[in-house]
Every structure is written in structure tokens, then in C-alpha cells.
Amino acid sequence: MAVAGIKTVILLSFVLAVGFLLIILSCALWANWLPLLVALTFVLAPLPNALFASCGGDDFSAEYDGHGRADTGRFMTSTVVVTGFAFPLVLAHSEIIRPGACAMSIVGGALVYGTILAYSAAFKEEDSDFD
């Protein structure tokens, strides 16, 4: 089991490096560093979901009020992800960055965010009934 975990980490780190490389190249090739904000956006995107995921109540709690807080975290995460995809498009539409930089930034951002999601899904700890 440990060998599969090491192979997963190596693969995910390679994909993450390619994603950051594309984002940095989208900035360096056209000498405009605004697409670098996309990397920051996609790195911070899972943060609200991670913070609000543990805020849900028990199923057996008397004051259980549903999953409103967890849904708020998902909404904030999706807002940041959509912003990460839309920001380069808006910059390219207003001709602040080149269309090539926009495409490289979007693909790189998708790779970075996909790597973060894949890592959290691959190494998610299952709740045990015996803890």
C-alpha cells in the first residue's frame, strides 16, 4: 500500500510542477506577470471548503441544522474557482494579456487545482465506526 502512495505522490507532484510551469511561462513569455494571480487563486480555492467541511453537526445532535455551513464553504470554493478561470479570460478580453498567455494560464490553473483535488481525494482519511 505504501508503494502505491509514493507513486501517487510522485505523479501528483509532477502534474503540479507542470501546472506551475505553464502559469509561470504564461507570464514570462509575454513579459506580463498578471496571470501569476491565477496560481494564487487556485492554491487558495480549496481553503473555504476545508475550513467549513468540519462545521456540520451530527446526525444525532438535537441542534442539528443541516449542512448550511458546509454548503457555504462549497459555494465560496466554487466562487474562487470560477474567478480563477474567468480572470485570465477577462484580462485577455480587455487586451491586457495575450490569448496565448490566457490559454496557458487557464490550463496551468486547472492542473494545479486538479492536483489539489486529486491529492485530497487520494489521501482522505475514512472515518471509522470504532474510534
Side-chain angles (χ1 to χ4, degrees):
M1 187 70 167
V3 175
I6 291 173
K7 288 181 181 180
T8 304
V9 169
I10 291 172
L11 176 69
L12 289 175
S13 64
F14 176 73
V15 173
L16 184 69
V18 169
F20 278 123
L21 176 70
L22 283 173
I23 292 173
I24 291 172
L25 280 177
S26 73
C27 299
L29 290 177
W30 287 278
N32 189 348
W33 294 93
L34 280 175
L36 195 59
L37 293 174
V38 173
L40 178 68
T41 303
F42 281 114
V43 167
L44 294 178
L47 189 62
N49 200 16
L51 290 175
F52 286 99
S54 61
C55 291
D58 299 358
D59 290 334
F60 301 112
S61 175
E63 64 271 354
Y64 180 69
D65 59 348
H67 297 286
R69 287 170 251 160
D71 287 340
T72 302
R74 289 186 194 111
F75 176 76
M76 291 171 67
T77 297
S78 64
T79 303
V80 174
V81 169
V82 169
T83 301
F85 284 115
F87 185 63
L89 291 172
V90 170
L91 289 176
H93 179 73
S94 62
E95 297 178 356
I96 295 174
I97 64 172
R98 304 270 183 156
C102 173
M104 288 176 72
S105 180
I106 288 174
V107 170
L111 287 174
V112 168
Y113 187 65
T115 302
I116 293 170
L117 286 180
Y119 180 82
S120 63
F123 296 104
K124 183 177 182 180
E125 292 182 15
E126 295 295 324
D127 291 335
S128 175
D129 293 336
F130 302 108
D131 287 341

